[in-house]
Amino acid sequence: MGKVMIAPSVLGCDQGNLAEEAIALQMAGADMIHLDVMDGVFVPVLTVGAGIAASIVRRVDIPVDAHLMVQKPSHLIKAFADAGCSYITVHAEVTSHLDRLLQQIRLAGSKAGVAVNPSTPVDFLRWVAPAVDLVLIMTVNPGYGGQKHLGCVHDKIPETRRILDSYGGGGALISVDGGVTDANAEELRSAGADILVSGSFITSSDDPAAAIAKLR
Ligand code: DX5
Ligand code: ZN
Protein backbone atom coordinates (compact mmCIF):
# COMPACT_ATOMS: atom_id res chain seq x y z
CA MET A 1 0.00 0.00 0.00
CA GLY A 2 1.34 3.46 -0.96
CA LYS A 3 0.90 6.54 1.15
CA VAL A 4 -2.65 7.46 2.15
CA MET A 5 -4.17 10.37 0.26
CA ILE A 6 -6.20 13.04 2.04
CA ALA A 7 -9.04 14.59 0.05
CA PRO A 8 -10.74 17.49 1.83
CA SER A 9 -14.35 18.18 0.87
CA VAL A 10 -15.09 21.86 0.22
CA LEU A 11 -18.79 21.38 1.11
CA GLY A 12 -18.41 23.31 4.38
CA CYS A 13 -16.25 26.09 2.87
CA ASP A 14 -17.30 29.60 1.81
CA GLN A 15 -19.31 28.66 -1.29
CA GLY A 16 -18.63 31.99 -3.00
CA ASN A 17 -14.87 31.48 -2.75
CA LEU A 18 -14.38 27.82 -3.54
CA ALA A 19 -11.31 28.24 -5.74
CA GLU A 20 -9.54 30.26 -3.01
CA GLU A 21 -10.64 27.73 -0.39
CA ALA A 22 -9.27 24.87 -2.52
CA ILE A 23 -5.94 26.66 -2.94
CA ALA A 24 -5.73 27.07 0.83
CA LEU A 25 -6.43 23.35 1.32
CA GLN A 26 -3.75 22.45 -1.20
CA MET A 27 -1.28 24.62 0.73
CA ALA A 28 -2.41 22.88 3.93
CA GLY A 29 -1.28 19.54 2.46
CA ALA A 30 -4.32 18.14 0.63
CA ASP A 31 -3.56 15.49 -2.01
CA MET A 32 -6.87 15.88 -3.83
CA ILE A 33 -9.94 18.14 -3.68
CA HIS A 34 -13.32 16.44 -3.15
CA LEU A 35 -16.15 18.40 -4.76
CA ASP A 36 -19.62 17.41 -3.57
CA VAL A 37 -22.13 17.98 -6.38
CA MET A 38 -25.74 17.72 -5.18
CA ASP A 39 -28.85 18.14 -7.33
CA GLY A 40 -31.62 18.67 -4.78
CA VAL A 41 -33.23 15.40 -6.01
CA PHE A 42 -30.96 12.44 -5.18
CA VAL A 43 -30.18 14.38 -2.00
CA PRO A 44 -32.17 17.35 -0.66
CA VAL A 45 -29.41 19.91 -1.02
CA LEU A 46 -28.30 21.79 -4.15
CA THR A 47 -24.61 22.69 -4.50
CA VAL A 48 -22.39 23.48 -7.47
CA GLY A 49 -22.07 22.71 -11.19
CA ALA A 50 -19.29 22.20 -13.70
CA GLY A 51 -18.48 25.94 -13.96
CA ILE A 52 -17.32 25.99 -10.35
CA ALA A 53 -15.45 22.72 -10.89
CA ALA A 54 -13.58 24.32 -13.82
CA SER A 55 -12.64 27.37 -11.78
CA ILE A 56 -11.23 25.13 -9.02
CA VAL A 57 -9.34 22.88 -11.47
CA ARG A 58 -7.74 25.93 -13.11
CA ARG A 59 -6.40 27.19 -9.79
CA VAL A 60 -5.03 24.06 -8.06
CA ASP A 61 -2.31 21.58 -9.07
CA ILE A 62 -3.87 18.56 -7.34
CA PRO A 63 -6.59 16.29 -8.79
CA VAL A 64 -10.25 17.15 -8.29
CA ASP A 65 -12.81 14.37 -7.68
CA ALA A 66 -16.37 15.38 -8.54
CA HIS A 67 -18.71 13.31 -6.34
CA LEU A 68 -21.98 13.47 -8.26
CA MET A 69 -24.87 12.99 -5.83
CA VAL A 70 -27.34 13.47 -8.66
CA GLN A 71 -30.18 11.44 -10.08
CA LYS A 72 -29.15 11.84 -13.75
CA PRO A 73 -25.33 11.88 -13.95
CA SER A 74 -25.22 11.01 -17.66
CA HIS A 75 -26.33 14.58 -18.45
CA LEU A 76 -23.40 16.04 -16.49
CA ILE A 77 -20.43 13.78 -17.18
CA LYS A 78 -19.15 15.60 -20.28
CA ALA A 79 -19.32 19.00 -18.58
CA PHE A 80 -17.37 17.83 -15.51
CA ALA A 81 -14.82 16.02 -17.70
CA ASP A 82 -14.38 19.14 -19.84
CA ALA A 83 -13.98 21.10 -16.60
CA GLY A 84 -10.86 18.99 -16.00
CA CYS A 85 -12.00 16.83 -13.09
CA SER A 86 -9.53 13.94 -12.75
CA TYR A 87 -12.18 11.67 -11.28
CA ILE A 88 -15.94 11.71 -11.79
CA THR A 89 -17.79 9.56 -9.29
CA VAL A 90 -21.39 8.49 -9.83
CA HIS A 91 -23.72 6.71 -7.41
CA ALA A 92 -24.48 3.04 -8.08
CA GLU A 93 -28.04 3.63 -6.78
CA VAL A 94 -29.11 5.98 -9.57
CA THR A 95 -28.64 3.73 -12.60
CA SER A 96 -29.52 0.37 -14.10
CA HIS A 97 -26.68 0.95 -16.59
CA LEU A 98 -23.64 1.44 -14.40
CA ASP A 99 -21.21 -0.16 -16.84
CA ARG A 100 -22.35 2.24 -19.56
CA LEU A 101 -22.02 5.27 -17.25
CA LEU A 102 -18.50 4.26 -16.22
CA GLN A 103 -17.51 3.84 -19.86
CA GLN A 104 -19.01 7.24 -20.60
CA ILE A 105 -16.77 8.82 -17.94
CA ARG A 106 -13.58 7.28 -19.37
CA LEU A 107 -14.58 8.18 -22.92
CA ALA A 108 -15.10 11.77 -21.78
CA GLY A 109 -11.50 11.75 -20.52
CA SER A 110 -11.79 11.38 -16.73
CA LYS A 111 -11.22 8.47 -14.38
CA ALA A 112 -14.36 6.56 -13.48
CA GLY A 113 -15.56 6.38 -9.87
CA VAL A 114 -18.57 4.64 -8.36
CA ALA A 115 -20.02 5.59 -4.97
CA VAL A 116 -22.04 3.28 -2.73
CA ASN A 117 -24.43 4.37 0.01
CA PRO A 118 -24.07 2.70 3.42
CA SER A 119 -26.90 0.23 2.70
CA THR A 120 -25.73 -0.68 -0.83
CA PRO A 121 -23.96 -4.04 -1.13
CA VAL A 122 -20.72 -4.10 -3.15
CA ASP A 123 -21.02 -7.51 -4.82
CA PHE A 124 -22.02 -5.82 -8.11
CA LEU A 125 -18.41 -4.58 -8.39
CA ARG A 126 -17.44 -8.02 -9.61
CA TRP A 127 -19.17 -7.27 -12.90
CA VAL A 128 -17.75 -3.79 -13.49
CA ALA A 129 -14.32 -4.11 -11.83
CA PRO A 130 -12.26 -3.51 -15.02
CA ALA A 131 -14.29 -0.35 -15.75
CA VAL A 132 -13.66 1.21 -12.32
CA ASP A 133 -10.80 3.52 -11.28
CA LEU A 134 -12.17 4.45 -7.85
CA VAL A 135 -14.78 3.13 -5.41
CA LEU A 136 -16.17 5.71 -2.98
CA ILE A 137 -17.51 3.97 0.11
CA MET A 138 -19.98 6.22 1.92
CA THR A 139 -19.81 6.06 5.71
CA VAL A 140 -22.74 8.49 6.09
CA ASN A 141 -25.96 8.80 4.12
CA PRO A 142 -25.07 11.41 1.50
CA GLY A 143 -26.54 14.90 1.62
CA TYR A 144 -24.86 16.75 4.46
CA GLY A 145 -21.47 17.32 6.01
CA GLY A 146 -20.85 16.86 9.72
CA GLN A 147 -22.83 13.64 10.18
CA LYS A 148 -21.97 10.75 12.46
CA HIS A 149 -19.57 8.21 10.94
CA LEU A 150 -21.12 4.75 10.43
CA GLY A 151 -18.42 2.35 11.63
CA CYS A 152 -20.55 -0.67 10.69
CA VAL A 153 -19.71 0.02 7.03
CA HIS A 154 -15.98 -0.63 7.54
CA ASP A 155 -16.30 -4.32 6.61
CA LYS A 156 -17.07 -3.23 3.07
CA ILE A 157 -13.54 -1.92 2.58
CA PRO A 158 -11.64 -5.25 2.58
CA GLU A 159 -14.57 -6.85 0.74
CA THR A 160 -14.29 -4.21 -1.99
CA ARG A 161 -10.52 -4.68 -2.24
CA ARG A 162 -10.93 -8.44 -2.58
CA ILE A 163 -13.56 -8.15 -5.34
CA LEU A 164 -11.57 -5.51 -7.27
CA ASP A 165 -8.35 -7.53 -7.07
CA SER A 166 -10.05 -10.77 -8.09
CA TYR A 167 -11.96 -9.45 -11.09
CA GLY A 168 -9.66 -7.10 -12.97
CA GLY A 169 -9.92 -3.93 -10.87
CA GLY A 170 -6.58 -4.25 -9.10
CA GLY A 171 -5.56 -0.72 -10.06
CA ALA A 172 -8.70 0.92 -8.65
CA LEU A 173 -8.45 3.04 -5.52
CA ILE A 174 -10.74 2.82 -2.49
CA SER A 175 -11.91 6.12 -1.02
CA VAL A 176 -13.98 6.54 2.15
CA ASP A 177 -16.34 9.49 2.63
CA GLY A 178 -18.38 10.64 5.61
CA GLY A 179 -17.50 11.56 9.17
CA VAL A 180 -13.81 10.79 8.69
CA THR A 181 -11.77 12.16 11.63
CA ASP A 182 -8.58 11.36 13.53
CA ALA A 183 -10.72 8.95 15.60
CA ASN A 184 -11.29 6.55 12.69
CA ALA A 185 -8.58 7.37 10.10
CA GLU A 186 -6.19 4.69 11.31
CA GLU A 187 -8.84 1.97 11.31
CA LEU A 188 -9.97 2.99 7.80
CA ARG A 189 -6.41 2.89 6.54
CA SER A 190 -5.79 -0.57 8.03
CA ALA A 191 -9.01 -1.78 6.45
CA GLY A 192 -7.59 -0.77 3.05
CA ALA A 193 -8.68 2.81 2.31
CA ASP A 194 -6.35 4.55 -0.17
CA ILE A 195 -8.07 7.94 0.05
CA LEU A 196 -9.70 9.55 3.08
CA VAL A 197 -12.29 12.19 2.19
CA SER A 198 -12.88 14.55 5.10
CA GLY A 199 -15.01 17.67 5.30
CA SER A 200 -15.91 19.22 8.62
CA PHE A 201 -12.97 17.70 10.53
CA ILE A 202 -10.63 19.71 8.29
CA THR A 203 -12.62 22.76 7.26
CA SER A 204 -14.15 23.51 10.69
CA SER A 205 -10.76 23.21 12.33
CA ASP A 206 -8.77 26.32 13.35
CA ASP A 207 -5.74 24.75 11.72
CA PRO A 208 -6.59 22.73 8.58
CA ALA A 209 -2.91 21.86 8.01
CA ALA A 210 -2.73 20.27 11.46
CA ALA A 211 -6.02 18.44 10.88
CA ILE A 212 -4.70 17.01 7.58
CA ALA A 213 -1.45 15.98 9.26
CA LYS A 214 -3.39 14.25 12.05
CA LEU A 215 -5.44 12.26 9.52
CA ARG A 216 -2.29 11.19 7.75
C1 DX5 B 1 -21.74 13.82 2.19
C2 DX5 B 1 -20.59 14.23 1.31
C3 DX5 B 1 -19.28 14.18 2.03
C4 DX5 B 1 -19.22 15.18 3.17
C5 DX5 B 1 -18.02 14.96 4.02
O1 DX5 B 1 -22.93 13.97 1.49
O2 DX5 B 1 -20.49 13.36 0.20
O3 DX5 B 1 -18.23 14.38 1.13
O4 DX5 B 1 -19.19 16.49 2.72
O5 DX5 B 1 -18.12 15.81 5.12
P1 DX5 B 1 -17.85 15.27 6.61
O6 DX5 B 1 -16.42 14.83 6.64
O7 DX5 B 1 -18.14 16.44 7.47
O8 DX5 B 1 -18.79 14.11 6.84
ZN1 ZN C 1 -18.62 13.43 -0.95
Side-chain angles (χ1 to χ4, degrees), residues 100-205:
R100 180 186 291 157
L101 262 188
L102 294 169
Q103 289 187 42
Q104 198 189 333
I105 297 171
R106 282 190 181 163
L107 274 174
S110 296
K111 290 182 179 150
V114 57
V116 283
N117 282 340
S119 63
T120 301
V122 289
D123 48 326
F124 72 88
L125 288 170
R126 170 172 179 177
W127 310 107
V128 290
V132 170
D133 298 302
L134 179 143
V135 178
L136 185 67
I137 297 179
M138 296 303 301
T139 42
V140 297
N141 291 293
Y144 304 95
Q147 302 181 84
K148 186 178 158 335
H149 182 82
L150 300 172
C152 59
V153 178
H154 287 198
D155 285 352
K156 253 190 216 178
I157 302 168
E159 189 185 350
T160 297
R161 187 72 271 160
R162 188 180 49 74
I163 298 172
L164 289 171
D165 289 350
S166 308
Y167 296 99
L173 299 175
I174 296 179
S175 182
V176 179
D177 184 10
V180 174
T181 68
D182 59 348
N184 48 44
E186 199 169 332
E187 192 182 324
L188 291 166
R189 179 62 175 159
S190 321
D194 301 296
I195 303 171
L196 300 177
V197 174
S198 181
S200 49
F201 178 72
I202 296 172
T203 59
S204 304
S205 139

Side-chain angles (χ1 to χ4, degrees), residues 34 36 67 69 177:
H34 183 85
D36 286 308
H67 175 195
M69 285 162 276
D177 184 10

Side-chain angles (χ1 to χ4, degrees), residues 14 20 23 32 61 73 94 118 128 130 167 187 205 207 212:
D14 177 357
E20 294 301 322
I23 293 169
M32 198 184 272
D61 306 316
V94 304
V128 290
Y167 296 99
E187 192 182 324
S205 139
D207 186 350
I212 289 172

